[in-house]
């Protein structure tokens, strides 16, 4: 499996996916595109890692999936955030804020 | 919750692997279609859109591969594939498989059979209450220079009355006697035992009651089996009268739990508390004792010594050089068979060791043959473990098949061993294959597999692709011939040594 040595990135990717899906259900490409757009191209998501992460989150019980029609009448797998996923997003957001705050304070101290 | 989902999703993937692959492929395809559509909407031609997507997201097949690699079920799939491959390899090399399996089956079968006997006779506790506190009273006589497992009536009665470390001592005697019932007679094991006998073995009747000293010479206990065989029902036996050597006795109770001490006794006749044989030189009784729970065996033994000295002083003539000893009942019952069984076990262990070494040699020959295949696997980027796993699995399969065949072989072997066993071998009626023994055989198979696979698997891991591919001289037409010859030689050699060793061990045992 490819999750070795990508702990930080993986954790962040999970949070970004959960956040994106908290607005509305999306399919894989939609999620990737949203993450890229909103981050202003800072984050680029490669389809292999994205689809792997989606499977992982679904198995963890944070997402549900369903094959549905898209606007251009093509079947796509849409992912929805579950109640548990919403809770997880809160946990991860809080965690992230705590860490980011700590890092920011450390950097300020230096500067 | 999430573990349950993990299991469920993984199981779905396992059950229908192609469905999962199709779904992943479909999702990846949709992803790429959307990406291309987006590029086209920005004004690129279909060709250019395709290229741009590829540049940005990589190839579809790579994405597919990465996405379908996720999940625990993939490890299972790889394992199953390797297992299937190993099974196919074994099927293809029948000479090797049959020889290895038979060798191991003989080794494991012999060990399982011996272990069955050892487990029952030596390892498992006696099937009596307080089994570890039971002891047989023996008499050491300096004139003989050894202890005999019998006692004289008065000596044993003195021990019974004086020993504080023993909770109860019972004197008994007996043998096979004719027992007369209302309409027929049977010849069965009968024991004359005093009322303390039931106390020593903590017997509880399943029907009726135990006998007391007051019942001496006119009451008997019978076993559950005896009651069923002769009266149909346990309850029906109570109150019946039977004759032992012509003396009428009333059945007062029935003893359950398959209790049949000593020597398969079915009828216990109440004998008086004071021994009828008053001679201190006639060893007419046997005696069993129950040690107090708060008393050590050594403590009890010391007390026997003290009592013996007292008796020697009191009866200078009859008790000269006589000493009372205790021996744990289990030891007394297993007696001399211990050494023989241990020897047999060691011999069987040696056979298995030889079998292992032989199978290892066979495996080595196989691994020499498959060096090319392993080298190619290594060259294609398989990890060490991935190369070793099929080799290990092959050995494991061989050992497990050998183990199953060995257990099947053990059934008749155990029967033959029991039939051949000397009369003195105790507890033979209890001997049969059980869970412990099967567990032993399984463990043995796995250990065997590990032992016989270690060297070949390590060699497999060490294969240097370049060297192996270059130096493989046995290619093309000659390869098969050379291989067959080698196989044949090895098979003959292994079979030969094995038969010889087996025969030798058998001779030794005789």
């Amino acid at each position: 499996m490819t999750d070795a040595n990508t702990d930080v990135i993986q954790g962040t990717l999970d949070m970004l996916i959960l956040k994106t899906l908290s607005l509305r259900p999306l399919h894989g490409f939609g999620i990737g595109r949203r993450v890229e757009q909103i981050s202003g191209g800072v984050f680029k998501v490669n389809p292999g890692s994205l689809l792997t992460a989606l499977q992982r989150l679904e198995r963890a019980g944070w997402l549900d999936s369903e094959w549905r029609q898209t606007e251009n009448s093509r079947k796509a797998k849409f992912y929805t955030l579950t109640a548990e996923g919403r809770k997880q997003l809160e946990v991860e957001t809080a965690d992230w804020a705590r860490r980011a705050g700590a890092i920011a304070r450390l950097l300020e101290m230096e500067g | 919750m999430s573990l349950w989902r993990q299991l469920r999703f993984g199981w779905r993937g396992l059950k229908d692997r192609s469905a999962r692959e199709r779904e992943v492929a479909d999702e990846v395809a949709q992803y790429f279609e959307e990406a291309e559509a987006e590029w086209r909407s920005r004004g690129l031609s279909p060709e250019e859109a395709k290229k741009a997507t590829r540049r940005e997201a990589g190839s579809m097949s790579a994405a597919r591969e990465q996405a379908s690699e996720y999940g625990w079920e993939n490890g299972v799939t790889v394992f199953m594939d390797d297992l299937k491959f190993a099974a196919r390899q074994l099927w293809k090399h029948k000479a090797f498989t049959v020889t290895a399996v038979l060798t191991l089956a003989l080794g494991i079968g012999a060990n399982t059979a011996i272990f069955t006997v050892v487990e029952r006779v030596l390892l498992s506790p006696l099937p009596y209450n307080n089994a570890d506190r039971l002891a047989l009273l023996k008499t050491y006589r300096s004139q003989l220079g050894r202890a005999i497992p019998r006692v004289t009536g008065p000596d044993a009665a003195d021990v019974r009355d004086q020993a504080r470390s023993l909770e109860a001592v019972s004197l008994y005697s007996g043998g096979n006697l004719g027992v007369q019932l209302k309409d027929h007679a049977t010849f069965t094991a009968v024991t004359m035992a005093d009322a303390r006998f039931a106390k020593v073995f903590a017997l509880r009747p399943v029907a009726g009651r135990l006998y007391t000293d007051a019942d001496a010479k006119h009451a008997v206990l019978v076993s559950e089996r005896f009651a069923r065989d002769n009266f149909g029902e346990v309850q029906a036996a109570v109150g019946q009268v039977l004759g032992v050597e012509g003396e009428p006795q009333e059945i007062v109770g029935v003893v359950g739990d398959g209790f049949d001490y000593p020597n398969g006794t079915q009828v216990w006749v109440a004998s008086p508390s004071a021994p009828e044989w008053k001679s201190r030189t006639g060893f007419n009784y046997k005696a069993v004792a129950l040690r107090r729970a708060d008393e050590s065996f050594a403590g009890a033994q010391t007390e026997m010594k003290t009592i013996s000295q007292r008796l020697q002083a009191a009866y200078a003539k009859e008790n000269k050089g006589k000493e009372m000893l205790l021996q744990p009942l289990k030891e007394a019952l297993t007696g001399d068979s211990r050494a023989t069984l241990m020897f047999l076990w060691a011999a069987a262990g040696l056979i298995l060791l030889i079998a292992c070494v032989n199978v290892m040699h066979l495996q080595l020959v196989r691994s020499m043959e498959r060096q090319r295949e392993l080298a190619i696997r290594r060259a294609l980027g398989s990890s060490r473990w991935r190369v070793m796993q099929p080799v290990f699995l092959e050995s494991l399969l061989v050992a497990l098949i050998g183990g199953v065949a060995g257990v099947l072989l053990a059934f008749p072997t155990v029967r033959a061993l029991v039939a051949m066993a000397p009369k003195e071998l105790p507890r033979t009626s209890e001997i049969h294959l059980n869970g412990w023994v099967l567990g032993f055989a399984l463990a043995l198979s796995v250990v065997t597999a590990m032992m016989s696979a270690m060297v070949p698997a390590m060699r497999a891991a060490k294969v240097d692709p370049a060297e192996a591919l270059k130096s493989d001289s046995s290619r093309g037409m000659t390869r098969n011939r050379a291989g067959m010859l080698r196989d044949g030689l090895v098979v003959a050699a292994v079979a030969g040594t094995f038969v010889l060793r087996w025969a030798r061990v058998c001779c030794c045992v005789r």
Side-chain angles (χ1 to χ4, degrees):
Chain A
M1 252 169 277
T2 51
D3 352 75
N5 297 330
T6 56
D7 273 354
V8 182
I9 298 167
Q10 202 181 79
T12 334
L13 181 61
D14 287 2
M15 185 173 63
L16 294 177
I17 292 171
L18 292 176
K19 177 68 197 168
T20 312
L21 287 176
S22 73
L23 306 176
R24 65 186 173 97
L26 277 171
H27 51 65
F29 177 77
I31 297 169
R33 192 44 92 225
R34 275 305 274 257
V35 168
E36 265 178 56
Q37 280 170 356
I38 294 180
S39 69
V42 173
F43 295 119
K44 277 218 188 320
V45 191
N46 117 314
S49 326
L50 180 69
L51 297 186
T52 307
L54 286 171
Q55 289 186 67
R56 189 177 52 242
L57 296 176
E58 189 176 6
R59 286 194 188 190
W62 298 333
L63 306 181
D64 275 331
S65 69
E66 189 193 6
W67 284 88
R68 280 212 304 259
Q69 299 278 343
T70 61
E71 304 97 75
N72 29 14
S73 63
R74 190 330 179 175
K75 278 223 158 190
K77 199 174 181 184
F78 277 82
Y79 293 88
T80 325
L81 202 63
T82 61
E84 256 182 278
R86 209 166 282 280
K87 252 183 263 161
Q88 178 62 22
L89 175 62
E90 276 165 33
V91 171
E92 288 198 16
T93 314
D95 194 46
W96 176 257
R98 193 170 53 84
R99 284 204 236 179
I103 289 169
R105 279 196 300 280
L106 282 170
L107 292 178
E108 267 166 34
M109 177 189 77
E110 253 186 330
Chain B
M1 175 75 187
S2 87
L3 178 72
W4 166 238
R5 273 174 89 106
Q6 271 285 1
L7 288 176
R8 201 159 43 110
F9 277 71
W11 175 243
R12 212 184 292 160
L14 266 187
K15 225 172 48 185
D16 196 348
R17 212 162 139 199
S18 58
R20 150 117 199 241
E21 268 164 21
R22 243 180 291 125
E23 186 170 1
V24 168
D26 215 9
E27 200 178 358
V28 169
Q30 184 260 335
Y31 185 104
F32 278 80
E33 277 169 37
E34 292 275 353
E36 281 168 29
E38 202 189 56
W39 283 114
R40 279 201 305 277
S41 71
R42 287 191 211 166
L44 289 181
S45 74
E47 263 318 294
E48 285 167 326
K50 211 167 222 160
K51 269 190 201 148
T53 307
R54 209 193 139 87
R55 202 164 46 239
E56 192 186 49
S59 78
M60 260 165 91
S61 62
R64 255 198 316 263
E65 196 138 310
Q66 197 185 344
S68 50
E69 249 175 33
Y70 175 75
W72 58 268
E73 68 269 24
N74 280 302
V76 176
T77 313
V78 166
F79 181 82
M80 291 311 284
D81 283 350
D82 276 355
L83 202 63
K84 265 184 235 156
F85 179 72
R88 263 207 307 277
Q89 287 286 316
L90 289 180
W91 184 250
K92 245 167 72 185
H93 299 83
K94 289 191 193 68
F96 161 77
T97 309
V98 168
T99 321
V101 164
L102 275 185
T103 310
L104 287 180
L106 284 176
I108 291 173
N111 272 277
T112 308
I114 298 285
F115 182 74
T116 311
V117 178
V118 168
E119 193 266 339
R120 245 326 92 175
V121 176
L122 299 184
L123 299 182
S124 70
L126 294 173
Y128 309 135
N129 296 324
N130 309 315
D132 53 334
R133 277 159 56 206
L134 295 172
L136 192 76
L137 198 58
K138 297 173 90 171
T139 315
Y140 176 82
R141 303 186 66 197
S142 60
Q143 297 92 323
L144 291 174
R146 63 185 171 86
I148 53 171
R150 306 183 70 86
V151 288
T152 71
D155 288 333
D158 285 341
V159 167
R160 178 186 71 199
D161 298 338
Q162 296 177 19
R164 306 182 52 84
S165 57
L166 302 177
E167 207 167 301
V169 178
S170 170
L171 277 68
Y172 64 91
S173 60
N176 282 333
L177 293 176
V179 174
Q180 295 87 41
L181 294 145
K182 211 178 280 172
D183 47 359
H184 67 288
T186 62
F187 195 65
T188 185
V190 178
T191 295
M192 266 55 87
D194 58 40
R196 287 174 186 80
F197 189 79
K199 204 171 167 205
V200 169
F201 289 100
L203 295 181
R204 253 175 240 107
V206 289
R209 59 176 179 89
L210 299 170
Y211 55 65
T212 63
D213 283 338
D215 294 314
K217 305 195 89 170
H218 56 77
V220 296
L221 287 170
V222 297
S223 73
E224 211 171 341
R225 199 177 91 203
F226 186 88
R228 268 189 228 291
D229 286 356
N230 294 292
F231 305 104
E233 231 183 300
V234 170
Q235 285 296 342
V238 180
Q240 299 277 352
V241 173
L242 49 72
V244 178
E245 299 283 280
E247 298 281 326
Q249 313 272 1
E250 189 196 337
I251 299 177
V252 295
V254 179
V255 175
D257 294 332
F259 182 81
D260 64 353
Y261 183 87
N263 306 320
T265 295
Q266 302 297 311
V267 178
W268 294 266
V269 182
S271 62
S273 156
E276 291 172 282
W277 297 82
K278 307 280 187 207
S279 154
R280 283 191 191 267
T281 48
F283 295 82
N284 296 312
Y285 294 94
K286 288 194 155 208
V288 277
L290 177 67
R291 178 165 47 85
R292 265 184 208 288
D294 54 2
E295 190 69 51
S296 73
F297 182 78
Q301 196 71 281
T302 313
E303 195 185 16
M304 289 305 110
K305 198 163 253 174
T306 319
I307 294 172
S308 302
Q309 279 161 2
R310 216 179 292 151
L311 291 175
Q312 279 174 17
Y315 310 98
K317 199 164 155 242
E318 296 103 314
N319 277 36
K320 187 166 173 256
K322 207 201 268 178
E323 198 175 317
M324 313 303 289
L325 295 172
L326 285 172
Q327 187 180 26
L329 189 60
K330 187 170 158 190
E331 210 178 293
L333 288 181
T334 35
D336 303 332
S337 59
R338 186 179 194 90
T340 317
L341 281 177
M342 283 308 189
F343 176 76
L344 263 175
W345 200 8
L350 202 67
I351 289 181
L352 186 66
L353 199 68
I354 297 167
C356 271
V357 171
N358 285 340
V359 170
M360 195 167 77
H361 279 149
L362 284 169
Q363 299 263 25
L364 272 178
V365 173
R366 278 270 296 125
S367 76
M368 254 152 29
E369 263 177 38
R370 66 196 300 187
Q371 216 159 27
R372 241 174 98 77
E373 166 208 326
L374 297 178
I376 291 170
R377 276 161 161 262
R378 287 285 280 157
L380 288 176
S382 282
S383 70
R384 244 151 220 260
W385 173 241
R386 286 286 286 119
V387 172
M388 275 163 83
Q389 182 163 305
V391 179
F392 254 117
L393 281 177
E394 230 185 88
S395 304
L396 198 66
L397 265 185
V398 167
L400 284 181
I401 299 172
V404 170
V407 169
L408 291 181
L409 204 66
F411 278 98
T413 314
V414 166
R415 221 166 293 146
L417 270 177
V418 171
M420 270 166 34
K423 266 271 181 293
E424 308 86 70
L425 186 71
R427 311 174 74 184
T428 42
S429 64
E430 295 171 30
I431 294 173
H432 50 86
L433 290 169
N434 61 20
W436 281 109
V437 173
L438 292 183
F440 172 80
L442 184 70
L444 208 58
S445 311
V446 173
V447 170
T448 308
M450 290 302 138
M451 271 178 60
S452 60
M454 206 59 86
V455 180
M458 287 199 333
R459 268 185 66 113
K462 264 197 239 135
V463 169
D464 175 23
E467 277 308 305
L469 289 176
K470 248 190 293 178
S471 68
D472 187 12
S473 53
S474 52
R475 257 194 248 178
M477 293 300 284
T478 55
R479 184 174 177 278
N480 277 331
R481 257 207 193 161
M484 258 162 62
L485 182 67
R486 218 161 35 194
D487 265 356
L489 280 176
V490 171
V491 167
V494 167
T497 41
F498 198 80
V499 168
L500 280 177
R501 302 284 167 127
W502 179 255
R504 191 180 303 162
V505 168
C506 285
C507 289
C508 282
V509 168
R510 290 279 163 77

